Amino acid sequence: MNEGKAGAFIRSEGLTKSFGHIRALRGVDLTVRAGESWLILGPNGAGKTTLMGILSLLLKPTEGELSINGKKDAESETALRQEIGVISHETFLYGDLTAQENLIFYGKLYGIADCKGSAVDMIKEVGLEDWAHERVRNYSRGMQQRLAIARAMLHRPSILLLDEPYTGLDQHGVLNFQNMLNRYHTDERITIMTSHNLSAGFEKCTHLAILAGGKIVFSNPMGELNSGDLKAIYFNYVEKTDR
């Protein structure tokens, strides 16, 4: 059931994920409410991408329970996908289609009324209007990441999941994306971003969590922290987990 403000809501309880003998997640409990923007920090191999895969419904947990907007993932997966936008290491773009064709395709999947108009607007927003009719396979990695951002935000989802979203972006692309996030964020929406970069999005997020060894070992509102605390806290918890 939703709590606090009306709008998006995520709760995970005891999420675990195993790949053969490897346990990528070891009981993750997380509650994220409408209006919150979380930064999840962790070293490589901490389980960040696996956690985001489960939250985005692309992976099934081995154990545990996930509730999104008051719905259990197993009960309402198709409906819930309409409420989630995902930016990950995989762009989910079709190389033989143009930028505009890619976004029109996804617009139809999301049931957007004016797919072409929405596609044109988003392509302009990410600065790719001069390349709108070029096949995506001819894009640079940074250009593909910009289009992936447009794809993820095309349907104005209530939940935006960002797994290392700055990958491949130049400084202009980073600034443009940050401005888009600022415009996107409302009291009804949720943003969760993972990174191994200690300075990534620190000022923009309302909450910080540290994921290490497949577990959330620290979480706190950002208002109770400062950038000087962050490095000491991060290494303290990560080093404890590694022992």
Side-chain angles (χ1 to χ4, degrees), residues 110-213:
Y110 288 125
I112 295 173
D114 181 9
C115 292
K116 183 176 180 180
S118 297
V120 169
D121 289 344
M122 287 303 300
I123 287 169
K124 184 176 181 180
E125 194 163 358
V126 297
L128 291 173
E129 57 266 42
D130 291 341
W131 293 75
H133 302 291
E134 181 69 41
R135 290 186 181 183
V136 169
R137 68 185 179 195
N138 297 326
Y139 277 23
S140 68
R141 180 65 182 89
M143 292 168 66
Q144 289 184 15
Q145 188 70 356
R146 288 192 186 200
L147 188 59
I149 290 167
R151 171 196 53 73
M153 302 180 76
L154 179 68
H155 57 303
R156 305 299 177 188
S158 64
I159 296 170
L160 190 59
L161 304 175
L162 315 172
D163 189 15
E164 301 281 1
Y166 297 116
T167 300
L169 294 180
D170 58 19
Q171 289 303 307
H172 177 73
V174 168
L175 180 60
N176 185 62
F177 180 44
Q178 289 173 339
N179 289 335
M180 289 179 67
L181 287 180
N182 290 339
R183 293 191 296 270
Y184 164 86
H185 189 72
T186 68
D187 287 344
E188 291 77 39
R189 287 172 168 160
I190 281 173
T191 303
I192 302 177
M193 177 171 69
T194 68
S195 183
H196 61 267
N197 182 349
L198 296 186
S199 63
F202 180 81
E203 298 84 0
K204 306 296 181 183
C205 294
T206 62
H207 291 72
L208 168 72
I210 296 173
L211 185 68

Side-chain angles (χ1 to χ4, degrees), residues 8 26 33 57 59 61 78 86-87 100 110 125 151 173 212 224:
R26 301 169 179 265
R33 297 173 175 84
L57 308 180
L59 290 176
T78 301
V86 182
I87 300 171
Q100 185 168 296
Y110 288 125
E125 194 163 358
R151 171 196 53 73
E224 300 175 12

